[in-house]
Amino acid sequence: TGLRTAVVEQHFCLHYQPLVDLGSHRVIGAEALLRWNRPGHGLISPGVFIGIAEEIGLIGSIGRWVLEEACRTAARWPKHLTIAVNVSPVQFHMSGFLKTVVDALTTSGLDPSRLEIEITEGILMNDTDETLTVLAHLRKMGVRLAMDDFGTGYSSLGYLQKFNFDKIKIDRSFIKRIAQDKNAAAIVRAVIALGDATGVRTLAEGVETQEEAQVLMLEGCREAQGYLYG
């Protein structure tokens, strides 16, 4: 009931986490992070309510608002900055998803090359012609594609063969142990090498210390985000 009210009365807001180039230490864009500003409860993370929104049929409305608001905001930024938006599997497979993306770009005036759609393995597991068609349309429009939470799923490597991604996002579960755990460091090193070999940029999620950033930079990771940067 609270979510239905939030959609009608627009109780949602976006926070923007910087995406940083590790070589130059410059901000190159941001990821839009959804929050529900629930009256009497404060800000609520999407991990708490997105699953419910998918179950009760609200994810389309919420996802549409996120795309529109993110694109509208990014259009006011300097033109070298990009905006990354997460898309849930349910939203991605809705019939009007492509139109939602087109409308958000058209209304905001944002160049498609400045929008990056982040998708997870949950979207790719339905390896159908329709999924391939949607991804192809997004790429034809000039929108960038990023594979989120890389390394935590069952078939991440296989999906790199089937789909053309612009970026791999290394999951934070590996990053938080990179300075102390040799196995975690080896996995991160392998993913970075994989990205280099396939021409795909790598971004490390959840970077919280200068030590982690230094190790990632030495290993050749190009981009990072996390509480170290804001």
Side-chain angles (χ1 to χ4, degrees), residues 1 5 26 77 86 91 95-96 111-112 114 117 126 132 196:
T1 301
T5 301
R26 296 185 63 184
W77 296 346
N86 289 280
Q91 180 189 4
S95 59
D111 190 298
R114 295 177 62 194
I117 298 292
N126 293 321
L132 291 168
D196 289 341

Side-chain angles (χ1 to χ4, degrees), residues 136-151:
H137 273 295
L138 289 171
R139 178 167 292 284
K140 187 176 181 180
M141 288 163 52
V143 175
R144 303 184 189 184
L145 299 173
M147 187 172 189
D148 202 8
D149 303 331
F150 187 84

Side-chain angles (χ1 to χ4, degrees), residues 87 91-99 101 117 119 123 128-141 143 145 163:
V87 175
Q91 180 189 4
F92 181 90
H93 290 295
M94 296 178 95
S95 59
F97 173 66
L98 275 176
K99 185 178 185 303
V101 175
I117 298 292
I119 59 177
I123 289 173
T128 63
D129 291 340
E130 184 180 354
T131 300
L132 291 168
T133 299
V134 173
L135 290 171
H137 273 295
L138 289 171
R139 178 167 292 284
K140 187 176 181 180
M141 288 163 52
V143 175
L145 299 173
F163 303 97

Side-chain angles (χ1 to χ4, degrees), residues 161-229:
Q161 286 186 309
K162 298 177 182 178
F163 303 97
N164 293 320
F165 289 95
D166 298 285
K167 183 183 295 182
I168 299 171
K169 301 190 72 175
I170 308 171
D171 190 73
R172 68 187 66 193
S173 62
F174 300 112
I175 305 305
K176 68 181 180 182
R177 304 196 309 270
I178 192 173
Q180 298 83 25
D181 187 335
K182 291 183 178 180
N183 289 333
I187 291 172
V188 171
R189 188 179 305 119
V191 174
I192 294 170
L194 179 65
D196 289 341
T198 56
V200 179
R201 297 180 67 86
T202 50
L203 179 146
E205 297 181 289
V207 178
E208 298 187 357
T209 69
Q210 192 61 52
E211 184 180 19
E212 292 169 353
Q214 185 67 24
V215 171
L216 287 163
M217 189 166 59
L218 290 174
E219 294 293 352
C221 186
R222 298 190 185 185
E223 301 175 15
Q225 68 183 104
Y227 290 141
L228 176 62
Y229 308 105

